[in-house]
Amino acid sequence: MKLAARLGAIAPSATVAMTARAKAMAAAGVDVVSLSAGEPDFAPPDLVQEATIAALRAGHVGYTSVGGLPALRDAAARWFSRLYGVPFEAAQVAVTVGGKEALALLFAALLDPGDEVIVPAPYWVSYPAQIRLAGGAPVTVPTRADRGFALDVEAIARACTERTRGVVINSPNNPSGAVYDRETLAELAEVVRAKDLWVITDDIYSALTYDGRPFASLLHVAPDLRDRCFIVHGVAKNWGMTGYRVGFLGAPAALVRACVTLAGQSTTHTATFSQYGALAAVEAGEGVVADWLVAFDARRRRLTAGLDALDGVSCALPGGAFYVFADVRGLLGRRLGADLVADDVQLAELLLEEAHVAIVPGSAFGMPGFLRFSYAASMEALETAIARVGAFVGRLAP
Ligand SMILES: Cc1ncc(COP(=O)(O)O)c(C=O)c1O
């Protein structure tokens, strides 16, 4: 069978692939600790579950509007107005099949062949693939571990060409856990104005920041850019509702209409009863999951300290999300028996095969030499993972 050329431009999602392998090993009876998925290990709040069941019982199982349940669009517009400090109306918001579809629709609506989009690295695995699928060209701009993976705004400005249309930012960041500060965002706003760009801001982890660090958005520091600032959000991470498949996009009404037209010819909309569950979540606000933050914070500290103590591994305490992005360049070039640990991909393979710990290599996020550990797992699982990785590192010969 001949497949379309566009498939040559993308590979399966590395995070999905690693999680599937870990599940297959577990099903075969292997005691695997899986720290590869980007999924809270807490159940959605009770009020969300009750609203979803009530929606099913009430027969809310038919089609609804392509742009989402009107009540959910209204609720999301009120939430965005609160979160971003600028007024949003329902027409400036659409409900999507997860944050992932919001991104795909935006790229499809905005990009023509050859258009360039700047993607700071490390980045969430799907940005470059989705940009390529939409005919665009991702241009990665690295950040530095020793600067806390903060945006390198000067490098972004230098990477701009006459084909550059926009930038994708993500804070709190997957995989680095970095939380951007207002000063850096204000510097980015200068570049955006000077080069006449748009910005897609993926804020799906907005409620997950630690040490009292506030979530900061480009719109907080540059409300004048609201017509060029396109928001991607969702209920997956802030409320632990990954399988509900409900996301949101926030943008000028004309762009929202264009995205809804695209959705109307592809997915139509996400499940109607899921949207009722999301409505309960958004109306209750992010505060309903405040307890999670306390648990995540303790795990974040334990995992960071446990990994950083290992010879050849270094990581600083991340400010948000639920990932530790560990620098393992100190382990590369060592040997496990006859095997040379040449790169992060091979290291991740060996950790799975030999130590039964599933994590994702940094290469998948555009940053070789690092490994992403998710701490959306119990403290017991993290202790086991730290011990196993430690024992594995101890077996490596220089
Ligand atoms: C940064 C980031 N954006 C978007 C998504 C997509 O989320 P959803 O499950 O709502 O499609 C994820 C999920 O892992 C993510 O980490």
Side-chain angles (χ1 to χ4, degrees):
M1 192 201 320
K2 183 191 166 297
L3 295 175
R6 73 175 67 85
L7 272 151
I10 63 164
S13 158
T15 45
V16 173
M18 191 51 111
T19 307
R21 273 189 68 186
K23 278 191 180 149
M25 281 176 76
V30 182
D31 168 28
V32 178
V33 181
S34 185
L35 306 183
S36 57
E39 175 162 66
D41 56 321
F42 301 109
D46 285 349
L47 59 92
V48 168
Q49 300 186 32
E50 277 150 24
T52 314
I53 294 165
L56 280 164
R57 293 225 164 95
H60 294 310
V61 292
Y63 290 130
T64 181
S65 313
V66 174
L69 274 182
L72 182 53
R73 283 178 96 167
D74 281 339
R78 286 195 298 276
W79 170 39
F80 280 6
S81 304
R82 234 180 16 251
L83 186 61
Y84 296 106
V86 294
F88 276 83
E89 292 168 10
Q92 294 166 315
V93 176
V95 182
T96 55
V97 188
K100 204 173 223 174
E101 193 202 21
L103 286 156
L105 293 174
L106 284 168
F107 292 130
L110 291 164
L111 296 177
D112 278 319
D115 283 349
E116 293 174 3
V117 181
I118 292 181
V119 182
Y123 46 70
W124 183 49
V125 288
S126 293
Y127 302 145
Q130 291 193 345
I131 291 166
R132 286 194 197 100
L133 277 177
V139 175
T140 50
V141 173
T143 60
R144 285 175 46 173
D146 60 358
R147 296 198 182 147
F149 303 101
L151 283 179
D152 185 343
V153 178
E154 278 175 24
I156 290 174
R158 279 198 305 276
C160 287
T161 71
E162 66 214 21
R163 299 304 315 258
T164 309
R165 298 287 168 262
V167 187
V168 183
I169 58 172
N170 168 223
S171 168
N173 186 271
N174 175 8
S176 73
V179 178
Y180 300 160
D181 60 32
R182 292 173 75 99
E183 294 70 32
T184 312
L185 290 167
E187 286 168 24
L188 180 69
E190 288 297 325
V191 176
V192 169
R193 289 187 197 100
K195 312 266 183 193
D196 197 17
L197 307 176
W198 43 250
V199 179
I200 291 179
T201 156
D202 179 347
D203 301 338
I204 200 149
Y205 296 91
S206 65
L208 302 178
T209 64
Y210 308 103
D211 307 321
R213 193 187 299 247
F215 161 70
S217 151
L218 193 68
L219 282 178
H220 293 149
V221 298
D224 59 301
L225 293 180
R226 74 163 300 171
D227 285 345
R228 295 195 253 156
C229 182
F230 314 142
I231 289 156
V232 170
H233 222 307
V235 295
K237 318 291 175 173
N238 285 358
W239 288 277
M241 296 167 64
T242 46
Y244 275 69
R245 309 308 305 133
V246 177
F248 302 100
L249 66 85
L255 178 55
V256 169
R257 274 197 304 277
C259 291
V260 170
T261 301
L262 285 165
Q265 298 290 16
S266 49
T267 53
T268 304
H269 59 70
T270 195
T272 304
F273 52 88
S274 280
Q275 297 192 47
Y276 279 93
L279 177 59
V282 169
E283 282 186 334
E286 297 92 322
V288 287
V289 291
D291 292 352
W292 298 7
L293 278 179
V294 177
F296 277 145
D297 183 27
R299 298 166 180 189
R300 168 184 78 122
R301 290 174 188 282
R302 178 67 193 108
L303 183 61
T304 307
L307 294 175
D308 193 51
L310 302 177
D311 166 43
V313 181
S314 96
C315 47
L317 201 59
F322 40 69
Y323 309 103
V324 171
F325 201 51
D327 185 343
V328 292
R329 286 174 290 186
L331 298 179
L332 305 183
R334 297 191 192 180
R335 288 185 176 277
L336 183 73
D339 291 325
L340 174 72
V341 184
D343 57 28
D344 57 298
V345 176
Q346 201 180 0
L347 182 57
E349 285 287 327
L350 286 170
L351 277 169
L352 183 60
E353 296 295 334
E354 299 284 331
H356 299 161
V357 176
I359 39 77
V360 186
S363 297
F365 308 98
M367 192 160 270
F370 289 74
L371 297 177
R372 187 193 78 173
F373 292 75
S374 165
Y375 51 88
S378 68
M379 198 60 115
E380 293 72 27
L382 296 180
E383 292 293 358
T384 308
I386 292 165
R388 289 185 186 180
V389 176
F392 172 88
V393 169
R395 288 169 59 201
L396 296 178

